Amino acid sequence: MLALLQRIKASNVTLKGDLEFVNDWQYFSLEPSAHHGQLTTTGSYAGTLSAFTAGTKLRTRYLSLLTIPPLPNSPLDFWASDCVRVIETARYFATGFLGLDWDSSSLKTAAAKAQLHVIPETPDRGADTLTPGDTCLKYRQDMQTGHDYGLIQLSKFRSTYLPAIAARFQAQNPGIRFTDEEVYSMQEMCGFEILVRGSSQWCDVFTQEDWLDFEYARDVIHYYRAGPGNRFGPVMGLLWLNATAELLSTGSEATGSVHDGDIMPLLAALDLFPTEEHLPATHRAASSRAWRTSQITPMNGRIIFERLICNSASFNTSKGGADSGAAVEHFMRINVNDGIVALPTCASGPGSSCPLKDFLTLVRRRGEEIGDFRTTCGLDADAPGRITFLHQRRK
């Protein structure tokens, strides 16, 4: 986007029509190189505020499950991948979730409520990672069906709608021609500027149809980059799925912060938003499609695996109502951005939940279908084969 603004300025063209505001528009960062890829700190949609708010919201929802103050010498463990933006997000979340004094070093309190563990984003981690896209060797090396597959499919779809927008801008400004990539960066600028300033004139440049196409473009890139449309997506997500299943089976808990791209493989492993056919790149799929990146991984998106303990009679009154001697049963359900999403093949429990024993069976079956991480990714046999750190020491 900066290169586009510099080109416009160098052309000495006074823009008209939809882009007239750009003549006086200033980029929202005075130090773009320093601020690029960092957590936003201003505006009503700031990343810092969103993370803190999410922590406060989940504290309200799950307060009864927290052990505060912590057990002696046993702070709550949580994790973040080794990226400044991700680490800061985790810290702001913890402040909302546990309070300002969650870290003893910050307020010199007697005991920390929690400890943040930073997991390196390095290739040598093998399967013992929060970021399998960095450790799956074949995924990084395969230029056709690996990491870049999303960009390939995105390029195909962008060519179906961006030329018409570029032609519209050129009709209003004959002295300058915009490429598809430049028009796409203008659409991206709408969201980025809103995060920093709270509003953006770039949003008014495009029609409703333009935005529906942009939304779908984001669906396409993530679906094929590391989601269900990428052959490596499910096996990368299986790492998180196996580790989470183990936590649910033991009644433990964990919180981790990662990139949005690292959430997609988990969804692929779960097959949580199934599609009858892969998303087309030649046209926009129907509005009824289940895979929508704007709803699955918005800014500060999150997926929560909830473990439920229920008296069997309390949810099945048809068998005689409540019974003090009824068996206690365990269930799990998935909360995606504050909405319960039922597993397609397991939702027989209360509140669209899945009986825990059935979920564990489902995970084992998916593992057999998906295959081994080291084998699929082309790693050595002695490379780490699973996530080992995701557990609470106080358990």
Side-chain angles (χ1 to χ4, degrees), residues 94-157:
T95 301
F97 191 55
L98 298 170
L100 287 170
D101 58 343
W102 70 267
D103 182 0
S104 60
S105 64
S106 63
L107 294 178
K108 299 184 177 7
T109 54
K113 291 180 179 178
Q115 182 174 353
L116 174 61
H117 302 273
V118 177
I119 307 301
E121 298 183 354
T122 53
D124 62 295
R125 297 286 304 186
D128 199 15
T129 180
L130 289 176
T131 51
D134 293 321
T135 66
C136 184
L137 183 62
K138 287 186 178 181
Y139 174 69
R140 291 186 289 114
Q141 292 180 338
D142 189 334
M143 297 295 102
Q144 295 301 313
T145 61
H147 177 273
D148 291 344
Y149 191 35
L151 289 174
I152 292 172
Q153 297 297 92
L154 171 65
S155 179
K156 291 178 181 179
F157 179 70

Side-chain angles (χ1 to χ4, degrees), residues 272-273 333-344 346-347 351-353:
L272 192 58
F273 298 96
R333 66 180 183 181
I334 300 176
N335 183 316
V336 180
N337 304 315
D338 300 325
I340 301 301
V341 179
L343 284 166
C346 187
S352 299
S353 63

Side-chain angles (χ1 to χ4, degrees), residues 230-250:
N230 190 294
R231 69 187 185 94
F232 297 99
V235 77
M236 294 192 295
L238 188 63
L239 302 180
W240 256 107
L241 185 57
N242 282 333
T244 303
E246 184 174 345
L247 288 172
L248 291 170
S249 67
T250 61

Side-chain angles (χ1 to χ4, degrees), residues 155-265:
S155 179
K156 291 178 181 179
F157 179 70
R158 290 197 313 190
S159 67
T160 68
Y161 82 97
L162 290 177
I165 302 176
R168 185 171 78 228
F169 292 162
Q170 188 179 11
Q172 298 169 352
N173 301 276
I176 189 169
R177 183 187 297 270
F178 299 106
T179 66
D180 288 357
E181 185 175 353
E182 289 172 335
V183 174
Y184 190 73
S185 71
M186 295 179 193
Q187 289 192 294
E188 290 183 312
M189 192 55 55
C190 164
F192 289 138
E193 189 176 21
I194 283 178
L195 285 177
V196 177
R197 289 176 171 164
S199 63
S200 176
Q201 291 175 280
W202 288 104
C203 303
D204 299 326
V205 168
F206 302 95
T207 68
Q208 179 68 13
E209 283 298 306
D210 295 339
W211 285 122
L212 290 175
D213 283 329
F214 178 77
E215 177 193 37
Y216 185 68
R218 302 301 299 172
D219 294 346
V220 168
I221 187 173
H222 286 295
Y223 182 86
Y224 287 104
R225 171 177 282 173
N230 190 294
R231 69 187 185 94
F232 297 99
V235 77
M236 294 192 295
L238 188 63
L239 302 180
W240 256 107
L241 185 57
N242 282 333
T244 303
E246 184 174 345
L247 288 172
L248 291 170
S249 67
T250 61
S252 186
E253 67 282 313
T255 299
S257 296
V258 296
H259 304 274
D260 58 352
D262 295 307
I263 294 177
M264 304 300 177

